[in-house]
Amino acid sequence: QVQLVESGGGLVQPGGSLRLSCAASGFTFSSYAMSWYRQAPGKERELVAFISSATGSTTYATSVKGRFTISRDNAKNTVYLQMNSLKPEDTAVYYCYASRSWGQGTQVTVSS
């Protein structure tokens, strides 16, 4: 069974940093692209970052480009999202996605 488990969320002040992790199992991790999405209250779930399988090429939402970095460690079957210079607008539940499956999400709150 495919399983994606996010961790690393929490409360952080504006300008702070946080690193999210998504541990994957149940599929050949290195063969799949991985994505991070987020959903704020009252808003649609949106793509935040994407990383391909073979080359590790990345794509980011305009709103986070230059602040967030997606990476993967195929040996650990884990994808990361390093979030720097966080803003209140980044507050949302963050989900990882792969192999047609979603993780349970981890809450990120940016507030003073």
Side-chain angles (χ1 to χ4, degrees):
Q1 77 291 144
V2 173
Q3 190 170 48
L4 301 169
V5 181
E6 302 97 331
S7 62
L11 175 64
V12 64
Q13 294 186 214
S17 297
L18 219 51
R19 188 171 84 152
L20 306 183
S21 298
C22 176
S25 61
F27 63 99
T28 304
F29 182 83
S30 61
S31 297
Y32 285 80
M34 302 291 296
S35 300
W36 283 98
Y37 285 74
R38 68 185 181 187
Q39 187 166 25
K43 294 189 175 182
E44 294 291 318
R45 190 170 298 186
E46 64 174 345
L47 178 66
V48 175
F50 167 93
I51 185 166
S52 68
S53 56
T55 64
S57 63
T58 58
T59 301
Y60 299 91
T62 300
S63 59
V64 308
K65 196 168 187 178
R67 300 187 297 120
F68 290 12
T69 302
I70 186 171
S71 62
R72 64 191 297 157
D73 187 335
N74 288 341
K76 295 182 178 180
N77 285 183
T78 301
V79 63
Y80 305 95
L81 185 67
Q82 178 66 48
M83 306 184 294
N84 299 324
S85 302
L86 283 161
K87 306 174 180 179
E89 308 92 89
D90 296 319
T91 296
V93 176
Y94 284 70
Y95 301 87
C96 62
Y97 175 86
S99 191
R100 303 177 185 272
S101 301
W102 295 95
Q104 85 288 352
T106 185
Q107 175 72 228
V108 171
T109 302
V110 184
S111 176
S112 296

